[in-house]
Amino acid sequence: MRSTSSVTLGYLPSSSGFQREDLARNVLRYFAYVFVILALVFAVIAQAYGDVFFFRLATEALIYGGFAMGVDLLLGFGGLLSLGHALFFGLGAYTSAVVLKEVAPSFWLALAVTLCVGTLVGVVAGAIAIRARGVYFALITFGMAEVLAKAVFNTQELGGSDGIIGVPIIKANFLLFSVDTSNAAHFFLLVLVVIMAFYFALEALLRTPFGRLVVAIKANEDRVPFLGFNSQRYKLGVFVIAANVTALSGALYPMLRGFVSPELLYFHSSGNAVITVILGGVGTLIGPLYGSVILTALKSIVGSFTEHHLIVIGLLFMCLVMFFPKGVIGALKTQVEPWLLRRKEQS
């Protein structure tokens, strides 16, 4: 049996391969820093104008960006296309809403319970889904999400078709201060910290032997068992992690909107997440955040001019896929990477 480092060496056989991979990760990390800077600049400008609407819209874009980040972890690094990841987003939103409304208005309790529920459901759903590959995996995840959506829709204790309304305003208590969710600017900054914490945690995870093995499974799953590793176990692990990232992002939704509805579990939510990943760049992690902001802005801007905004957005998306198949961040990464490599070789 070989060590995990052997898998890494099998996947990247040369020191130049390691160097290029590290360079690619560093480039994406720079884009993450730029995203944080742009978000802070936006916060300053929006606060100066006192515009609550744009704060709420930007906060929603961040939450859906976290949703898409979970999809990208599966698709971009695990090679697993999930068409039912709304299962975990809706699950997280409903769990959070129930805890906040029926148990206690506690930010940390809502996240803790969501983490436990997301892990449990992720293990069960993942154990079923990872038995299939390719389109069959996608269809199984789609089917599980539809089953849960219909179950929630027909459960009157969860509000039925109306969902859960009247989720109370809460305060997220930290050691030296607290954040009131009714304050649009403060809650935006809190969500930004949470979502970026997800990004940097996942980015660090992918640098570990576990992360390298997940990428190796995507590259050639059939060869991994010959190296002494159980590929199913690692696929289940990355599935559960992706489920939790999405569920925890969903847990923030009722804190923003004050309600949840069965629509969060429907296919269009999963489809939008996949579109967001492709728009930002598959396998970049930070790309989904940019993609979510772009998609949210397009819906808001185009929707203010015509009720047929989805047609316009669909056409723009088709053009993007044809001319920028790697997505926005993927295309920029391709341009920046050679420049940084040349600078490193010259220094």
Side-chain angles (χ1 to χ4, degrees):
M1 182 179 295
R2 302 184 186 180
S3 64
T4 307
S5 60
S6 300
V7 176
T8 303
L9 292 174
Y11 174 63
L12 295 171
S14 66
S15 60
S16 61
F18 281 113
Q19 186 178 18
R20 287 181 179 276
E21 183 192 26
D22 289 338
L23 179 64
R25 296 275 172 83
N26 289 335
V27 170
L28 293 175
R29 190 182 295 173
Y30 295 149
F31 282 120
Y33 296 149
V34 171
F35 184 86
V36 173
I37 293 171
L38 291 175
L40 294 177
V41 170
F42 161 82
V44 171
I45 296 174
Q47 182 66 18
Y49 283 95
D51 201 319
V52 175
F53 171 76
F54 285 110
F55 263 127
R56 295 296 185 186
L57 193 65
T59 305
E60 184 173 295
L62 287 175
I63 291 173
Y64 278 108
F67 177 3
M69 199 186 302
V71 174
D72 189 34
L73 178 63
L74 277 180
L75 178 60
F77 298 93
L80 303 169
L81 172 60
S82 174
L83 293 180
H85 224 58
L87 182 158
F88 299 105
F89 187 75
L91 179 71
Y94 267 90
T95 301
S96 176
V98 170
V99 170
L100 294 174
K101 188 176 181 180
E102 305 297 338
V103 181
S106 169
F107 175 79
W108 297 109
L109 180 62
L111 292 187
V113 175
T114 299
L115 181 62
C116 294
V117 173
T119 300
L120 178 62
V121 177
V123 170
V124 175
I128 298 171
I130 63 172
R131 295 176 181 274
R133 295 189 187 183
V135 66
Y136 300 105
F137 174 88
L139 291 175
I140 288 175
T141 55
F142 166 75
M144 288 190 293
E146 289 299 301
V147 168
L148 182 61
K150 291 299 181 183
V152 170
F153 185 88
N154 292 298
T155 303
Q156 292 304 315
E157 289 77 9
L158 294 176
S161 60
D162 296 326
I164 299 175
I165 59 177
V167 177
I169 294 171
I170 64 170
K171 289 186 178 182
N173 294 314
F174 296 84
L175 292 177
L176 301 177
F177 61 94
S178 62
V179 177
D180 193 332
T181 57
S182 65
N183 187 307
H186 292 174
F187 189 58
F188 168 78
L189 293 176
L190 173 61
V191 173
L192 176 65
V193 170
V194 172
I195 298 301
M196 292 312 300
F198 290 163
Y199 167 77
F200 286 111
L202 293 178
E203 197 263 353
L205 177 68
L206 290 169
R207 290 174 179 264
T208 65
F210 174 87
R212 293 182 183 278
L213 191 56
V214 168
V215 176
I217 291 172
K218 178 189 175 183
N220 194 327
E221 181 179 349
D222 294 328
R223 296 184 64 181
V224 171
F226 291 99
L227 299 170
F229 296 95
N230 188 331
S231 60
Q232 295 295 91
R233 186 181 302 168
Y234 285 86
K235 285 170 66 176
L236 179 60
V238 75
F239 187 96
V240 172
I241 293 170
N244 277 320
V245 169
T246 300
L248 290 171
S249 298
L252 300 172
Y253 186 88
M255 301 178 193
L256 172 69
R257 294 302 182 191
F259 71 93
V260 292
S261 70
E263 290 187 0
L264 297 176
L265 291 153
Y266 290 163
F267 172 70
H268 70 81
S269 294
S270 298
N272 282 338
V274 175
I275 290 173
T276 300
V277 172
I278 296 173
L279 177 62
V282 178
T284 62
L285 280 185
I286 191 60
L289 294 182
Y290 281 95
S292 182
V293 171
I294 294 171
L295 193 61
T296 303
L298 280 175
K299 287 181 179 179
S300 178
I301 295 172
V302 178
S304 64
F305 291 100
T306 174
E307 62 181 8
H308 304 296
H309 62 282
L310 292 179
I311 297 176
V312 178
I313 293 173
L315 291 173
L316 290 174
F317 179 72
M318 289 170 60
C319 294
L320 179 72
V321 170
M322 287 188 294
F323 297 107
F324 299 96
K326 294 183 179 180
V328 175
I329 298 302
L332 291 174
K333 173 176 167 287
T334 303
Q335 299 298 319
V336 174
E337 215 171 51
W339 177 72
L340 287 177
L341 186 60
R342 287 194 298 270
R343 286 196 59 183
K344 190 170 184 179
E345 290 175 349
Q346 291 173 359
S347 62

PDB file of all heavy atoms in Angstrom, residues 35-68:
ATOM      1  N   PHE A  35     -11.862  39.806  -4.946  1.00  0.00           N
ATOM      2  CA  PHE A  35     -13.299  39.732  -4.667  1.00  0.00           C
ATOM      3  C   PHE A  35     -13.614  40.377  -3.322  1.00  0.00           C
ATOM      4  O   PHE A  35     -14.592  41.141  -3.205  1.00  0.00           O
ATOM      5  CB  PHE A  35     -13.747  38.273  -4.664  1.00  0.00           C
ATOM      6  CG  PHE A  35     -15.226  38.095  -4.473  1.00  0.00           C
ATOM      7  CD1 PHE A  35     -16.090  38.139  -5.553  1.00  0.00           C
ATOM      8  CD2 PHE A  35     -15.756  37.886  -3.203  1.00  0.00           C
ATOM      9  CE1 PHE A  35     -17.458  37.983  -5.368  1.00  0.00           C
ATOM     10  CE2 PHE A  35     -17.121  37.727  -3.021  1.00  0.00           C
ATOM     11  CZ  PHE A  35     -17.970  37.771  -4.106  1.00  0.00           C
ATOM     12  N   VAL A  36     -12.813  40.086  -2.311  1.00  0.00           N
ATOM     13  CA  VAL A  36     -13.043  40.677  -0.986  1.00  0.00           C
ATOM     14  C   VAL A  36     -12.891  42.199  -1.050  1.00  0.00           C
ATOM     15  O   VAL A  36     -13.707  42.941  -0.481  1.00  0.00           O
ATOM     16  CB  VAL A  36     -12.060  40.079   0.038  1.00  0.00           C
ATOM     17  CG1 VAL A  36     -12.171  40.811   1.375  1.00  0.00           C
ATOM     18  CG2 VAL A  36     -12.326  38.592   0.237  1.00  0.00           C
ATOM     19  N   ILE A  37     -11.866  42.665  -1.737  1.00  0.00           N
ATOM     20  CA  ILE A  37     -11.646  44.110  -1.855  1.00  0.00           C
ATOM     21  C   ILE A  37     -12.828  44.780  -2.552  1.00  0.00           C
ATOM     22  O   ILE A  37     -13.329  45.828  -2.102  1.00  0.00           O
ATOM     23  CB  ILE A  37     -10.336  44.396  -2.616  1.00  0.00           C
ATOM     24  CG1 ILE A  37      -9.142  43.940  -1.780  1.00  0.00           C
ATOM     25  CG2 ILE A  37     -10.209  45.883  -2.952  1.00  0.00           C
ATOM     26  CD1 ILE A  37      -7.815  43.977  -2.527  1.00  0.00           C
ATOM     27  N   LEU A  38     -13.292  44.187  -3.655  1.00  0.00           N
ATOM     28  CA  LEU A  38     -14.439  44.747  -4.379  1.00  0.00           C
ATOM     29  C   LEU A  38     -15.688  44.754  -3.510  1.00  0.00           C
ATOM     30  O   LEU A  38     -16.482  45.706  -3.550  1.00  0.00           O
ATOM     31  CB  LEU A  38     -14.685  43.949  -5.660  1.00  0.00           C
ATOM     32  CG  LEU A  38     -13.627  44.075  -6.762  1.00  0.00           C
ATOM     33  CD1 LEU A  38     -13.949  43.131  -7.912  1.00  0.00           C
ATOM     34  CD2 LEU A  38     -13.524  45.510  -7.256  1.00  0.00           C
ATOM     35  N   ALA A  39     -15.873  43.688  -2.716  1.00  0.00           N
ATOM     36  CA  ALA A  39     -17.031  43.619  -1.833  1.00  0.00           C
ATOM     37  C   ALA A  39     -16.982  44.714  -0.773  1.00  0.00           C
ATOM     38  O   ALA A  39     -18.011  45.326  -0.450  1.00  0.00           O
ATOM     39  CB  ALA A  39     -17.100  42.242  -1.173  1.00  0.00           C
ATOM     40  N   LEU A  40     -15.799  44.973  -0.242  1.00  0.00           N
ATOM     41  CA  LEU A  40     -15.652  46.029   0.768  1.00  0.00           C
ATOM     42  C   LEU A  40     -15.862  47.408   0.162  1.00  0.00           C
ATOM     43  O   LEU A  40     -16.476  48.287   0.787  1.00  0.00           O
ATOM     44  CB  LEU A  40     -14.277  45.933   1.423  1.00  0.00           C
ATOM     45  CG  LEU A  40     -14.021  44.674   2.271  1.00  0.00           C
ATOM     46  CD1 LEU A  40     -12.599  44.656   2.801  1.00  0.00           C
ATOM     47  CD2 LEU A  40     -15.019  44.583   3.419  1.00  0.00           C
ATOM     48  N   VAL A  41     -15.363  47.608  -1.052  1.00  0.00           N
ATOM     49  CA  VAL A  41     -15.590  48.887  -1.752  1.00  0.00           C
ATOM     50  C   VAL A  41     -17.085  49.084  -1.990  1.00  0.00           C
ATOM     51  O   VAL A  41     -17.620  50.182  -1.779  1.00  0.00           O
ATOM     52  CB  VAL A  41     -14.817  48.924  -3.084  1.00  0.00           C
ATOM     53  CG1 VAL A  41     -15.231  50.125  -3.920  1.00  0.00           C
ATOM     54  CG2 VAL A  41     -13.319  48.958  -2.829  1.00  0.00           C
ATOM     55  N   PHE A  42     -17.747  48.021  -2.436  1.00  0.00           N
ATOM     56  CA  PHE A  42     -19.197  48.095  -2.631  1.00  0.00           C
ATOM     57  C   PHE A  42     -19.895  48.470  -1.320  1.00  0.00           C
ATOM     58  O   PHE A  42     -20.826  49.296  -1.307  1.00  0.00           O
ATOM     59  CB  PHE A  42     -19.725  46.752  -3.132  1.00  0.00           C
ATOM     60  CG  PHE A  42     -21.207  46.577  -2.944  1.00  0.00           C
ATOM     61  CD1 PHE A  42     -22.093  47.125  -3.853  1.00  0.00           C
ATOM     62  CD2 PHE A  42     -21.715  45.879  -1.844  1.00  0.00           C
ATOM     63  CE1 PHE A  42     -23.468  46.989  -3.668  1.00  0.00           C
ATOM     64  CE2 PHE A  42     -23.076  45.736  -1.665  1.00  0.00           C
ATOM     65  CZ  PHE A  42     -23.961  46.291  -2.577  1.00  0.00           C
ATOM     66  N   ALA A  43     -19.482  47.857  -0.202  1.00  0.00           N
ATOM     67  CA  ALA A  43     -20.108  48.121   1.093  1.00  0.00           C
ATOM     68  C   ALA A  43     -19.964  49.587   1.481  1.00  0.00           C
ATOM     69  O   ALA A  43     -20.909  50.204   1.992  1.00  0.00           O
ATOM     70  CB  ALA A  43     -19.498  47.221   2.160  1.00  0.00           C
ATOM     71  N   VAL A  44     -18.794  50.143   1.239  1.00  0.00           N
ATOM     72  CA  VAL A  44     -18.558  51.552   1.574  1.00  0.00           C
ATOM     73  C   VAL A  44     -19.466  52.452   0.745  1.00  0.00           C
ATOM     74  O   VAL A  44     -20.098  53.386   1.264  1.00  0.00           O
ATOM     75  CB  VAL A  44     -17.079  51.917   1.351  1.00  0.00           C
ATOM     76  CG1 VAL A  44     -16.870  53.414   1.480  1.00  0.00           C
ATOM     77  CG2 VAL A  44     -16.188  51.173   2.340  1.00  0.00           C
ATOM     78  N   ILE A  45     -19.545  52.178  -0.562  1.00  0.00           N
ATOM     79  CA  ILE A  45     -20.368  53.009  -1.448  1.00  0.00           C
ATOM     80  C   ILE A  45     -21.853  52.870  -1.104  1.00  0.00           C
ATOM     81  O   ILE A  45     -22.587  53.862  -1.006  1.00  0.00           O
ATOM     82  CB  ILE A  45     -20.124  52.621  -2.922  1.00  0.00           C
ATOM     83  CG1 ILE A  45     -18.677  52.927  -3.311  1.00  0.00           C
ATOM     84  CG2 ILE A  45     -21.092  53.360  -3.845  1.00  0.00           C
ATOM     85  CD1 ILE A  45     -18.298  52.442  -4.691  1.00  0.00           C
ATOM     86  N   ALA A  46     -22.314  51.633  -0.913  1.00  0.00           N
ATOM     87  CA  ALA A  46     -23.723  51.406  -0.583  1.00  0.00           C
ATOM     88  C   ALA A  46     -24.089  52.033   0.756  1.00  0.00           C
ATOM     89  O   ALA A  46     -25.183  52.583   0.922  1.00  0.00           O
ATOM     90  CB  ALA A  46     -24.019  49.910  -0.564  1.00  0.00           C
ATOM     91  N   GLN A  47     -23.178  51.963   1.715  1.00  0.00           N
ATOM     92  CA  GLN A  47     -23.425  52.572   3.027  1.00  0.00           C
ATOM     93  C   GLN A  47     -23.496  54.082   2.913  1.00  0.00           C
ATOM     94  O   GLN A  47     -24.306  54.733   3.589  1.00  0.00           O
ATOM     95  CB  GLN A  47     -22.324  52.149   4.002  1.00  0.00           C
ATOM     96  CG  GLN A  47     -22.505  52.681   5.417  1.00  0.00           C
ATOM     97  CD  GLN A  47     -23.721  52.095   6.113  1.00  0.00           C
ATOM     98  OE1 GLN A  47     -24.246  51.076   5.698  1.00  0.00           O
ATOM     99  NE2 GLN A  47     -24.177  52.761   7.163  1.00  0.00           N
ATOM    100  N   ALA A  48     -22.652  54.657   2.044  1.00  0.00           N
ATOM    101  CA  ALA A  48     -22.656  56.105   1.849  1.00  0.00           C
ATOM    102  C   ALA A  48     -23.996  56.578   1.282  1.00  0.00           C
ATOM    103  O   ALA A  48     -24.496  57.646   1.645  1.00  0.00           O
ATOM    104  CB  ALA A  48     -21.518  56.515   0.923  1.00  0.00           C
ATOM    105  N   TYR A  49     -24.581  55.760   0.392  1.00  0.00           N
ATOM    106  CA  TYR A  49     -25.873  56.116  -0.194  1.00  0.00           C
ATOM    107  C   TYR A  49     -27.046  55.605   0.636  1.00  0.00           C
ATOM    108  O   TYR A  49     -28.206  55.926   0.338  1.00  0.00           O
ATOM    109  CB  TYR A  49     -25.976  55.550  -1.616  1.00  0.00           C
ATOM    110  CG  TYR A  49     -25.195  56.340  -2.632  1.00  0.00           C
ATOM    111  CD1 TYR A  49     -23.901  55.977  -2.979  1.00  0.00           C
ATOM    112  CD2 TYR A  49     -25.743  57.478  -3.237  1.00  0.00           C
ATOM    113  CE1 TYR A  49     -23.169  56.705  -3.908  1.00  0.00           C
ATOM    114  CE2 TYR A  49     -25.023  58.208  -4.173  1.00  0.00           C
ATOM    115  CZ  TYR A  49     -23.742  57.812  -4.505  1.00  0.00           C
ATOM    116  OH  TYR A  49     -23.024  58.539  -5.427  1.00  0.00           O
ATOM    117  N   GLY A  50     -26.760  54.799   1.640  1.00  0.00           N
ATOM    118  CA  GLY A  50     -27.811  54.257   2.491  1.00  0.00           C
ATOM    119  C   GLY A  50     -28.796  53.378   1.753  1.00  0.00           C
ATOM    120  O   GLY A  50     -29.998  53.394   2.046  1.00  0.00           O
ATOM    121  N   ASP A  51     -28.293  52.604   0.803  1.00  0.00           N
ATOM    122  CA  ASP A  51     -29.152  51.789  -0.051  1.00  0.00           C
ATOM    123  C   ASP A  51     -29.279  50.370   0.504  1.00  0.00           C
ATOM    124  O   ASP A  51     -28.392  49.537   0.329  1.00  0.00           O
ATOM    125  CB  ASP A  51     -28.584  51.740  -1.474  1.00  0.00           C
ATOM    126  CG  ASP A  51     -29.640  51.362  -2.499  1.00  0.00           C
ATOM    127  OD1 ASP A  51     -30.444  50.469  -2.180  1.00  0.00           O
ATOM    128  OD2 ASP A  51     -29.670  51.967  -3.580  1.00  0.00           O
ATOM    129  N   VAL A  52     -30.396  50.092   1.170  1.00  0.00           N
ATOM    130  CA  VAL A  52     -30.628  48.785   1.771  1.00  0.00           C
ATOM    131  C   VAL A  52     -30.888  47.724   0.703  1.00  0.00           C
ATOM    132  O   VAL A  52     -30.454  46.577   0.828  1.00  0.00           O
ATOM    133  CB  VAL A  52     -31.811  48.843   2.763  1.00  0.00           C
ATOM    134  CG1 VAL A  52     -32.141  47.454   3.302  1.00  0.00           C
ATOM    135  CG2 VAL A  52     -31.482  49.795   3.907  1.00  0.00           C
ATOM    136  N   PHE A  53     -31.596  48.111  -0.377  1.00  0.00           N
ATOM    137  CA  PHE A  53     -31.954  47.148  -1.424  1.00  0.00           C
ATOM    138  C   PHE A  53     -30.727  46.467  -2.005  1.00  0.00           C
ATOM    139  O   PHE A  53     -30.683  45.239  -2.135  1.00  0.00           O
ATOM    140  CB  PHE A  53     -32.746  47.845  -2.532  1.00  0.00           C
ATOM    141  CG  PHE A  53     -32.959  46.983  -3.753  1.00  0.00           C
ATOM    142  CD1 PHE A  53     -33.903  45.957  -3.735  1.00  0.00           C
ATOM    143  CD2 PHE A  53     -32.197  47.172  -4.893  1.00  0.00           C
ATOM    144  CE1 PHE A  53     -34.090  45.146  -4.853  1.00  0.00           C
ATOM    145  CE2 PHE A  53     -32.380  46.369  -6.014  1.00  0.00           C
ATOM    146  CZ  PHE A  53     -33.334  45.361  -5.988  1.00  0.00           C
ATOM    147  N   PHE A  54     -29.721  47.257  -2.375  1.00  0.00           N
ATOM    148  CA  PHE A  54     -28.530  46.677  -2.989  1.00  0.00           C
ATOM    149  C   PHE A  54     -27.719  45.857  -1.994  1.00  0.00           C
ATOM    150  O   PHE A  54     -27.059  44.890  -2.362  1.00  0.00           O
ATOM    151  CB  PHE A  54     -27.673  47.770  -3.632  1.00  0.00           C
ATOM    152  CG  PHE A  54     -28.234  48.284  -4.921  1.00  0.00           C
ATOM    153  CD1 PHE A  54     -28.764  49.561  -5.008  1.00  0.00           C
ATOM    154  CD2 PHE A  54     -28.264  47.484  -6.053  1.00  0.00           C
ATOM    155  CE1 PHE A  54     -29.301  50.029  -6.199  1.00  0.00           C
ATOM    156  CE2 PHE A  54     -28.795  47.941  -7.244  1.00  0.00           C
ATOM    157  CZ  PHE A  54     -29.324  49.218  -7.321  1.00  0.00           C
ATOM    158  N   PHE A  55     -27.756  46.239  -0.732  1.00  0.00           N
ATOM    159  CA  PHE A  55     -27.100  45.425   0.295  1.00  0.00           C
ATOM    160  C   PHE A  55     -27.760  44.046   0.372  1.00  0.00           C
ATOM    161  O   PHE A  55     -27.074  43.012   0.424  1.00  0.00           O
ATOM    162  CB  PHE A  55     -27.189  46.101   1.658  1.00  0.00           C
ATOM    163  CG  PHE A  55     -25.957  46.880   2.036  1.00  0.00           C
ATOM    164  CD1 PHE A  55     -26.037  48.199   2.425  1.00  0.00           C
ATOM    165  CD2 PHE A  55     -24.699  46.284   2.000  1.00  0.00           C
ATOM    166  CE1 PHE A  55     -24.911  48.921   2.774  1.00  0.00           C
ATOM    167  CE2 PHE A  55     -23.560  46.986   2.352  1.00  0.00           C
ATOM    168  CZ  PHE A  55     -23.671  48.319   2.737  1.00  0.00           C
ATOM    169  N   ARG A  56     -29.086  44.023   0.388  1.00  0.00           N
ATOM    170  CA  ARG A  56     -29.816  42.756   0.461  1.00  0.00           C
ATOM    171  C   ARG A  56     -29.575  41.918  -0.785  1.00  0.00           C
ATOM    172  O   ARG A  56     -29.406  40.702  -0.709  1.00  0.00           O
ATOM    173  CB  ARG A  56     -31.317  43.029   0.634  1.00  0.00           C
ATOM    174  CG  ARG A  56     -31.694  43.695   1.944  1.00  0.00           C
ATOM    175  CD  ARG A  56     -31.378  42.816   3.138  1.00  0.00           C
ATOM    176  NE  ARG A  56     -31.847  43.401   4.388  1.00  0.00           N
ATOM    177  CZ  ARG A  56     -31.610  42.903   5.587  1.00  0.00           C
ATOM    178  NH1 ARG A  56     -30.883  41.805   5.703  1.00  0.00           N
ATOM    179  NH2 ARG A  56     -32.060  43.494   6.680  1.00  0.00           N
ATOM    180  N   LEU A  57     -29.563  42.579  -1.944  1.00  0.00           N
ATOM    181  CA  LEU A  57     -29.334  41.866  -3.197  1.00  0.00           C
ATOM    182  C   LEU A  57     -27.931  41.272  -3.225  1.00  0.00           C
ATOM    183  O   LEU A  57     -27.734  40.119  -3.644  1.00  0.00           O
ATOM    184  CB  LEU A  57     -29.522  42.826  -4.380  1.00  0.00           C
ATOM    185  CG  LEU A  57     -29.629  42.186  -5.771  1.00  0.00           C
ATOM    186  CD1 LEU A  57     -30.880  41.329  -5.872  1.00  0.00           C
ATOM    187  CD2 LEU A  57     -29.635  43.272  -6.841  1.00  0.00           C
ATOM    188  N   ALA A  58     -26.945  42.032  -2.771  1.00  0.00           N
ATOM    189  CA  ALA A  58     -25.567  41.541  -2.750  1.00  0.00           C
ATOM    190  C   ALA A  58     -25.404  40.408  -1.739  1.00  0.00           C
ATOM    191  O   ALA A  58     -24.653  39.451  -1.980  1.00  0.00           O
ATOM    192  CB  ALA A  58     -24.617  42.691  -2.406  1.00  0.00           C
ATOM    193  N   THR A  59     -26.094  40.499  -0.616  1.00  0.00           N
ATOM    194  CA  THR A  59     -26.040  39.429   0.388  1.00  0.00           C
ATOM    195  C   THR A  59     -26.628  38.142  -0.175  1.00  0.00           C
ATOM    196  O   THR A  59     -26.076  37.051   0.025  1.00  0.00           O
ATOM    197  CB  THR A  59     -26.809  39.839   1.657  1.00  0.00           C
ATOM    198  OG1 THR A  59     -26.293  41.086   2.148  1.00  0.00           O
ATOM    199  CG2 THR A  59     -26.666  38.781   2.734  1.00  0.00           C
ATOM    200  N   GLU A  60     -27.725  38.265  -0.912  1.00  0.00           N
ATOM    201  CA  GLU A  60     -28.326  37.088  -1.545  1.00  0.00           C
ATOM    202  C   GLU A  60     -27.372  36.484  -2.574  1.00  0.00           C
ATOM    203  O   GLU A  60     -27.272  35.257  -2.694  1.00  0.00           O
ATOM    204  CB  GLU A  60     -29.645  37.467  -2.209  1.00  0.00           C
ATOM    205  CG  GLU A  60     -30.384  36.280  -2.797  1.00  0.00           C
ATOM    206  CD  GLU A  60     -31.764  36.651  -3.292  1.00  0.00           C
ATOM    207  OE1 GLU A  60     -32.608  37.020  -2.447  1.00  0.00           O
ATOM    208  OE2 GLU A  60     -32.007  36.582  -4.510  1.00  0.00           O
ATOM    209  N   ALA A  61     -26.669  37.338  -3.310  1.00  0.00           N
ATOM    210  CA  ALA A  61     -25.695  36.845  -4.291  1.00  0.00           C
ATOM    211  C   ALA A  61     -24.588  36.060  -3.598  1.00  0.00           C
ATOM    212  O   ALA A  61     -24.134  35.026  -4.106  1.00  0.00           O
ATOM    213  CB  ALA A  61     -25.102  38.018  -5.076  1.00  0.00           C
ATOM    214  N   LEU A  62     -24.146  36.516  -2.443  1.00  0.00           N
ATOM    215  CA  LEU A  62     -23.112  35.797  -1.688  1.00  0.00           C
ATOM    216  C   LEU A  62     -23.630  34.443  -1.212  1.00  0.00           C
ATOM    217  O   LEU A  62     -22.921  33.429  -1.280  1.00  0.00           O
ATOM    218  CB  LEU A  62     -22.666  36.630  -0.481  1.00  0.00           C
ATOM    219  CG  LEU A  62     -21.803  37.857  -0.758  1.00  0.00           C
ATOM    220  CD1 LEU A  62     -21.554  38.616   0.542  1.00  0.00           C
ATOM    221  CD2 LEU A  62     -20.475  37.459  -1.389  1.00  0.00           C
ATOM    222  N   ILE A  63     -24.866  34.412  -0.729  1.00  0.00           N
ATOM    223  CA  ILE A  63     -25.443  33.156  -0.230  1.00  0.00           C
ATOM    224  C   ILE A  63     -25.550  32.140  -1.356  1.00  0.00           C
ATOM    225  O   ILE A  63     -25.165  30.969  -1.203  1.00  0.00           O
ATOM    226  CB  ILE A  63     -26.816  33.425   0.413  1.00  0.00           C
ATOM    227  CG1 ILE A  63     -26.633  34.222   1.710  1.00  0.00           C
ATOM    228  CG2 ILE A  63     -27.545  32.113   0.697  1.00  0.00           C
ATOM    229  CD1 ILE A  63     -27.934  34.686   2.341  1.00  0.00           C
ATOM    230  N   TYR A  64     -26.061  32.584  -2.500  1.00  0.00           N
ATOM    231  CA  TYR A  64     -26.156  31.675  -3.647  1.00  0.00           C
ATOM    232  C   TYR A  64     -24.773  31.327  -4.198  1.00  0.00           C
ATOM    233  O   TYR A  64     -24.595  30.262  -4.801  1.00  0.00           O
ATOM    234  CB  TYR A  64     -27.044  32.278  -4.734  1.00  0.00           C
ATOM    235  CG  TYR A  64     -28.518  32.073  -4.474  1.00  0.00           C
ATOM    236  CD1 TYR A  64     -29.338  33.129  -4.084  1.00  0.00           C
ATOM    237  CD2 TYR A  64     -29.090  30.819  -4.609  1.00  0.00           C
ATOM    238  CE1 TYR A  64     -30.683  32.941  -3.837  1.00  0.00           C
ATOM    239  CE2 TYR A  64     -30.440  30.614  -4.362  1.00  0.00           C
ATOM    240  CZ  TYR A  64     -31.235  31.680  -3.977  1.00  0.00           C
ATOM    241  OH  TYR A  64     -32.569  31.475  -3.721  1.00  0.00           O
ATOM    242  N   GLY A  65     -23.815  32.211  -3.986  1.00  0.00           N
ATOM    243  CA  GLY A  65     -22.439  31.897  -4.366  1.00  0.00           C
ATOM    244  C   GLY A  65     -21.877  30.762  -3.529  1.00  0.00           C
ATOM    245  O   GLY A  65     -21.154  29.889  -4.025  1.00  0.00           O
ATOM    246  N   GLY A  66     -22.229  30.742  -2.235  1.00  0.00           N
ATOM    247  CA  GLY A  66     -21.828  29.628  -1.374  1.00  0.00           C
ATOM    248  C   GLY A  66     -22.474  28.330  -1.816  1.00  0.00           C
ATOM    249  O   GLY A  66     -21.839  27.261  -1.789  1.00  0.00           O
ATOM    250  N   PHE A  67     -23.738  28.401  -2.220  1.00  0.00           N
ATOM    251  CA  PHE A  67     -24.453  27.253  -2.781  1.00  0.00           C
ATOM    252  C   PHE A  67     -23.688  26.713  -3.993  1.00  0.00           C
ATOM    253  O   PHE A  67     -23.378  25.514  -4.088  1.00  0.00           O
ATOM    254  CB  PHE A  67     -25.861  27.734  -3.168  1.00  0.00           C
ATOM    255  CG  PHE A  67     -26.736  26.711  -3.834  1.00  0.00           C
ATOM    256  CD1 PHE A  67     -26.347  25.391  -4.031  1.00  0.00           C
ATOM    257  CD2 PHE A  67     -27.999  27.069  -4.261  1.00  0.00           C
ATOM    258  CE1 PHE A  67     -27.183  24.462  -4.645  1.00  0.00           C
ATOM    259  CE2 PHE A  67     -28.845  26.155  -4.880  1.00  0.00           C
ATOM    260  CZ  PHE A  67     -28.421  24.853  -5.070  1.00  0.00           C
ATOM    261  N   ALA A  68     -23.339  27.616  -4.917  1.00  0.00           N
ATOM    262  CA  ALA A  68     -22.635  27.211  -6.138  1.00  0.00           C
ATOM    263  C   ALA A  68     -21.233  26.692  -5.839  1.00  0.00           C
ATOM    264  O   ALA A  68     -20.718  25.829  -6.556  1.00  0.00           O
ATOM    265  CB  ALA A  68     -22.561  28.386  -7.106  1.00  0.00           C
TER     266      ALA A  68
END
